[in-house]
Amino acid sequence: MRMNKILKNPLSLRQKTWILVTSVIIVSLVGVLFLTNYLYERFYIDKQIDLLIARGDLLTELYFDDETTMEEFIDRVEWMNRCAEANVLFADNLQFLLGNEPGAGKSDKLITLEESKILQSGQSIKVVRRQSSFEKPIMGVAVPLLDEEGCLLGVIFLYKTLAEIFEPFQTTRTWIL
């Protein structure tokens, strides 16, 4: 008879309450982790892309400024490459970005042929891929420089490694876990 009583009610009310409280806490923490991760990717990464495009637009304005020489523009690109949180490349030849220049290997391809067509139409592109020439996955943007007739004069390529982008969030993620 005692065995039947134990099998019918194996957990006390106090134990059930603790299990419920613990379950709610675990589900809440997992939910917060997923929500934070989603918001991070949704907003922070979008913000990083917007910042890269804004820097590319600033360089575009400088490129087309009548008072700026090509040497001053290249100096500004190099300065931004050193000081900004992103790496900056200027290519006055689309073949450089396609990896078709003499001496360039297939791994030196920064953009695809389809992306080059988008650039030639005057639209900026976003790039997220593993780039073997940088040895790490990158996220970047390519901003075209077009003349009045719509001919492509050059491309400003700004990028960051994905490790740099995700690094600020690692301590928060570890803390939440």
Side-chain angles (χ1 to χ4, degrees), residues 1-2 24 26-27 34 39 70 78 87-89 94 103 111 114 139 142 151 174:
M1 191 183 270
R2 183 165 161 83
V24 168
I26 290 171
V27 168
F34 283 118
L39 292 175
M70 182 55 83
E78 290 173 1
N87 299 298
V88 184
L89 298 172
L94 194 57
I111 61 171
E114 295 80 24
M139 178 197 69
C151 295
T174 303

Side-chain angles (χ1 to χ4, degrees), residues 48-129:
Q48 293 300 311
I49 290 172
D50 291 344
L51 286 172
L52 291 176
I53 290 173
R55 287 187 180 122
D57 290 344
L58 285 173
L59 287 173
T60 299
E61 289 176 22
L62 185 66
Y63 182 85
F64 288 110
D65 185 2
D66 293 332
E67 298 177 10
T68 303
T69 65
M70 182 55 83
E71 184 178 300
E72 290 172 331
F73 174 74
I74 297 297
D75 287 343
R76 183 61 63 100
V77 168
E78 290 173 1
W79 175 83
M80 191 174 280
N81 192 28
R82 286 189 311 270
C83 299
E85 293 178 1
N87 299 298
V88 184
L89 298 172
F90 168 69
D92 58 359
N93 182 350
L94 194 57
Q95 299 306 314
F96 171 78
L97 296 175
L98 287 168
N100 294 339
E101 276 195 336
K106 286 191 172 191
S107 65
D108 295 332
K109 183 183 274 195
L110 297 175
I111 61 171
T112 64
L113 192 56
E114 295 80 24
E115 290 168 338
S116 72
K117 292 176 184 174
I118 294 170
L119 286 170
Q120 290 171 342
S121 74
Q123 297 176 12
S124 297
I125 60 167
K126 299 173 191 168
V127 174
V128 178
R129 65 172 66 104

